[in-house]
């Protein structure tokens, strides 16, 4: 498992371009990447965002992905009068660009393994607030904070709203190094895999001599 750290690494030019495209220039963007399913718990995410919006109407929510529960979440957003503040991208091949436009990643999953999405978010130097069902092994950069789903959404919102912004430009190389050291560089993993296969082939050839 690995990601292209260079592709997801913080890029201020792409960030500004995407934020202008989606009208986020003057906003603080909460992001989520994932299939619209029971597992991902979008309902709770919308409740958290609703509380954040009440604290500051400059907040925006960017939902990247698609799935069977999307109409339900779309309806929930509409009933809370948040349609103007929530953007649904659907499935997209531009995740590495869109992630740059985000300021904070929030993932209140009901259950989860080790999502590479969170590794990608950390590569982009995003502070991440995730449910404590996610393995703490995912926190390779120190940017991930774990919160309980037993907490009311307003408590998540308060924690997120009071969080200290990350200087992404200043920290991007250090974080990239931490991700690579943790074994999540797809380039380094590919090099290791190639060496492994070459060794197997050499051993196989030797066994037939």
């Amino acid at each position: 498992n690995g990601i292209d750290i260079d592709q997801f690494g913080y890029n201020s030019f792409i960030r500004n371009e995407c934020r202008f495209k989606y009208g986020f220039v003057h906003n603080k963007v909460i992001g989520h990447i994932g299939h619209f399913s029971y597992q991902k718990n979008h309902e709770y995410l919308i409740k958290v965002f609703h509380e954040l919006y009440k604290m500051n109407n400059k907040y925006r929510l960017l939902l990247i992905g698609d799935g069977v529960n999307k109409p339900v979440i779309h309806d929930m957003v509409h009933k809370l009068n948040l349609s103007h503040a929530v953007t649904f991208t659907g499935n997209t091949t531009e995740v590495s660009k869109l992630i740059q436009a985000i300021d904070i990643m929030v993932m209140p999953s009901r259950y989860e393994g080790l999502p590479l999405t969170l590794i990608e978010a950390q590569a982009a130097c995003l502070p991440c607030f995730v449910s404590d069902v996610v393995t703490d092994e995912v926190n390779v950069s120190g940017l991930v904070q774990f919160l309980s789903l037993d907490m009311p959404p307003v408590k998540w919102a308060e924690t997120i709203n009071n969080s200290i912004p990350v200087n992404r430009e200043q920290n991007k190389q250090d974080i990239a190094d931490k991700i690579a050291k943790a074994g999540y560089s797809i380039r380094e993993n590919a090099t290791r895999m190639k060496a492994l296969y070459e060794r197997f082939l050499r051993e196989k050839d030797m066994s037939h001599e």
Side-chain angles (χ1 to χ4, degrees), residues 150-170:
D150 291 332
M151 294 165 56
V154 68
K155 292 299 183 182
W156 274 59
E158 288 172 353
T159 303
I160 293 166
N161 190 53
N162 293 330
S163 62
I164 300 172
V166 175
N167 187 324
R168 295 164 75 178
E169 186 66 47
Q170 181 177 315

Side-chain angles (χ1 to χ4, degrees), residues 11-78:
N11 185 305
S12 59
F13 176 79
I14 294 175
R15 171 177 168 80
N16 292 335
E17 186 179 57
C18 283
R19 286 174 70 86
F20 179 80
K21 177 180 177 180
Y22 285 90
F24 295 150
V25 176
H26 302 294
N27 299 114
K28 193 166 187 178
V29 182
I30 304 298
H32 183 277
I33 303 169
H35 193 70
F36 282 76
S37 63
Y38 175 81
Q39 172 191 355
K40 297 300 183 181
N41 202 9
H42 284 81
E43 297 89 346
Y44 191 88
L45 174 60
I46 299 303
K47 292 175 183 177
V48 171
F49 179 71
H50 188 212
E51 297 295 340
L52 281 168
Y53 188 81
K54 287 190 286 186
M55 295 173 187
N56 184 346
N57 64 11
K58 292 294 184 182
Y59 274 108
R60 294 294 182 267
L61 178 61
L62 182 62
L63 299 176
I64 303 170
D66 214 335
V68 293
N69 284 355
K70 184 178 175 181
V72 175
I73 301 306
H74 206 285
D75 187 55
M76 184 178 180
V77 167
H78 176 71

Side-chain angles (χ1 to χ4, degrees), residues 36 89 135:
F36 282 76
T89 69
T135 174

Side-chain angles (χ1 to χ4, degrees), residues 92-109:
T92 175
T93 59
E94 297 193 330
V95 173
S96 62
K97 291 183 178 180
L98 289 169
I99 207 169
Q100 302 296 334
I102 296 169
D103 295 296
I104 297 171
M105 185 69 71
V106 180
M107 185 179 286
S109 301

Side-chain angles (χ1 to χ4, degrees), residues 120-137:
E120 293 167 353
Q122 290 173 82
C125 304
L126 290 177
C128 304
F129 295 85
V130 308
S131 59
D132 57 10
V133 302
V134 179
T135 174
D136 58 7
E137 292 177 20

